[in-house]
Amino acid sequence: MKITEPPRMPEQRKADLLHRLEREIDIWVATADTEGMPCLVPLWFVWHDQAVWLCTRLTNPTGRNLRDGRRARLALGDTRDVVLVDGDVETFTTPEVPSKAAEAFRAKTGWDPREDHASYAFFRVRPSAVQAWCEEHELPRRHLMRDGAWVV
């Protein structure tokens, strides 16, 4: 999209967002430790049952931050097609993860962490706020979700 094109309506932005969540495989994951030290990494993800599911080791900073902080900001796209998702995090060890979520993750990524090292965990990020915009002219109507409810 170029700035010369008219801004998308919020309904179209939501449809575009949901399509991206289905097709993209990597998402930027921003967390912070208990002292506020930020951490930003890309992780594979799957959009399943109205949540973003991630997987990483509990022994690395991102895994610890997700588990202990229970909040994350996720991002898709570049600076001209942005999606920001703020959410609450719930941690599941590999024996605890719901099988449908783990299977959805495996189907999308080709990797089943349940068959890998024991320190892996799954993290369900339930969106509480979602913003999406292309270019500056879409900024005024960028909020698609607030307080966990779609506004479009």
Side-chain angles (χ1 to χ4, degrees):
M1 170 177 264
K2 294 183 180 182
I3 195 129
T4 56
E5 296 177 31
R8 297 169 295 167
M9 296 303 296
E11 296 81 9
Q12 183 61 51
R13 288 186 206 185
K14 181 180 176 183
D16 292 348
L17 161 72
L18 293 173
H19 178 72
R20 290 181 73 186
L21 289 171
E22 291 295 330
R23 84 176 195 293
E24 293 195 29
I25 196 166
D26 298 311
I27 197 163
W28 286 101
V29 180
T31 61
D33 67 16
T34 56
E35 296 177 12
M37 177 63 101
C39 183
L40 178 66
V41 298
L43 292 177
W44 285 348
F45 79 99
V46 66
W47 175 250
H48 173 74
D49 198 22
Q50 300 300 303
V52 174
W53 286 84
L54 311 166
C55 187
T56 192
R57 294 178 188 260
L58 280 170
T59 55
N60 69 33
T62 299
R64 288 191 304 270
N65 294 349
L66 288 166
R67 180 194 62 208
D68 299 342
R70 300 181 51 91
R71 299 272 305 145
R73 173 168 272 186
L74 311 176
L76 290 171
D78 57 33
T79 59
R80 301 208 183 261
D81 187 5
V82 178
V83 171
L84 295 178
V85 177
D86 294 313
D88 300 310
V89 178
E90 193 173 356
T91 303
F92 298 86
T93 62
T94 52
E96 298 170 332
V97 67
S99 61
K100 287 184 180 181
E103 284 303 314
F105 189 89
R106 184 201 53 75
K108 185 174 184 184
T109 66
W111 175 51
D112 190 343
R114 296 171 298 177
E115 298 174 357
D116 213 317
H117 192 275
S119 69
Y120 281 103
F122 285 84
F123 302 90
R124 176 172 50 198
V125 182
R126 291 201 183 273
S128 57
V130 176
Q131 301 175 60
W133 71 91
C134 287
E135 300 289 349
E136 182 275 334
H137 66 299
E138 287 193 352
L139 280 173
R141 298 175 74 186
R142 68 187 174 272
H143 296 277
L144 302 179
M145 177 185 281
R146 290 188 175 153
D147 299 321
W150 293 106
V151 296
V152 295

